[in-house]
Amino acid sequence: MKKILKIISSVNGAVSKSTQLADAVIEKLTAHYAGSTVKVKDLSQQRYEHFHEGHLKVYRGMGEVAPEIVATVEKVSDDAINEVMEADIIVIGVPIYNFNVPSTLKAWIDHVMRAGRTFSFAGGQKEGLVKNKKVYLAVSSGGVYSEGPMQAYNFAVPYLEATLGFIGMTDVTTFWAEGCDMPGYKETALQKAIDKVAV
Ligand SMILES: Cc1cc2nc3c(=O)[nH]c(=O)nc-3n(C[C@H](O)[C@H](O)[C@H](O)COP(=O)(O)O)c2cc1C
């Protein structure tokens, strides 16, 4: 039995390919780990603020800030971090937007990456504090990045692997529906990716 956190970052609702791929991963997970629970977090609905001065001051201890701002800013980040900490498995649906992750997903990451909470530099050593998690990325893209001329534009997956790894989530498996908007690929892209899903 596992606690699964499903994170949606597409704005495409039910027809989203990254969400459908994430669902395929979750279907396999719930079949494999009987009695698992799934908590859904839809970042297209639950939006995280872009950083402002209050975040800088609270997260980085850089200057005075009104107590009510400290409380709200900390609570939003604490809640996001607690959801991550409570999960055994995190499945993230990731459509590629402009060669990167959706800004809603980046904003969530900005609130989860917090010194002293999810990573530490105690004693001059970097340590990721989010331990014992399994992460699956369910990626969909209009183009193809595993081969051909767009390989050099593959920023999103290395970014997520590096960022999640930095805070301790080093066990990341990626399933990717590539070429979802390209004739010759789009007809089969999602199904091919779903067929590869294994947990
Ligand atoms: C605003 C926007 C930007 C996009 N940028 C890219 C891109 O840079 N590279 C790419 O391969 N596809 C790009 N696409 C296409 C999507 O990645 C593709 O349609 C994907 O399957 C969408 O996933 P979803 O169905 O889960 O929303 C973009 C789509 C949108 C809406």
Side-chain angles (χ1 to χ4, degrees), residues 10 12 16-18 95-99 140-143 145 180-181:
S10 170
N12 245 344
S16 156
K17 297 197 171 70
S18 57
I96 304 293
Y97 290 164
N98 301 315
F99 307 116
S140 66
S141 58
Y145 296 85
C180 288
D181 299 335

Side-chain angles (χ1 to χ4, degrees), residues 9-86:
S9 64
S10 170
V11 293
N12 245 344
V15 297
S16 156
K17 297 197 171 70
S18 57
T19 305
Q20 291 178 67
L21 188 52
D23 286 339
V25 175
I26 287 168
E27 206 178 300
K28 284 262 163 77
L29 286 170
T30 49
H32 190 75
Y33 301 107
S36 292
T37 57
V38 182
K39 180 172 186 182
V40 181
K41 188 174 182 69
D42 184 347
L43 296 176
S44 74
Q45 304 298 319
Q46 185 191 351
R47 299 222 172 113
Y48 285 82
E49 277 191 307
H50 283 186
F51 264 15
H52 55 62
E53 195 189 5
H55 293 109
L56 198 66
K57 288 179 172 170
V58 173
Y59 294 173
R60 301 265 157 165
M62 295 169 81
E64 290 288 306
V65 60
E68 60 274 18
I69 295 201
V70 176
T72 18
V73 162
E74 268 189 337
K75 182 174 179 353
V76 169
S77 170
D78 284 349
D79 288 351
I81 290 169
N82 289 341
E83 279 177 333
V84 169
M85 293 298 194
E86 282 162 15

Side-chain angles (χ1 to χ4, degrees), residues 81-151:
I81 290 169
N82 289 341
E83 279 177 333
V84 169
M85 293 298 194
E86 282 162 15
D88 301 304
I89 303 175
I90 302 173
V91 181
I92 310 178
V94 188
I96 304 293
Y97 290 164
N98 301 315
F99 307 116
N100 215 322
V101 301
S103 58
T104 50
L105 181 55
K106 173 62 166 65
W108 172 78
I109 288 169
D110 286 342
H111 292 268
V112 168
M113 304 277 294
R114 229 172 99 201
R117 289 298 315 276
T118 52
F119 67 93
S120 146
F121 277 110
Q125 278 293 94
K126 196 285 285 178
E127 188 187 1
L129 303 178
V130 188
K131 298 178 194 282
N132 304 317
K133 311 287 176 203
K134 173 72 198 172
V135 178
Y136 293 94
L137 303 179
V139 183
S140 66
S141 58
V144 171
Y145 296 85
S146 62
E147 57 182 21
M150 298 309 288
Q151 282 179 89

Side-chain angles (χ1 to χ4, degrees), residues 171-183:
D171 188 357
V172 179
T173 299
T174 299
F175 302 106
W176 193 335
E178 290 192 290
C180 288
D181 299 335
M182 287 173 63

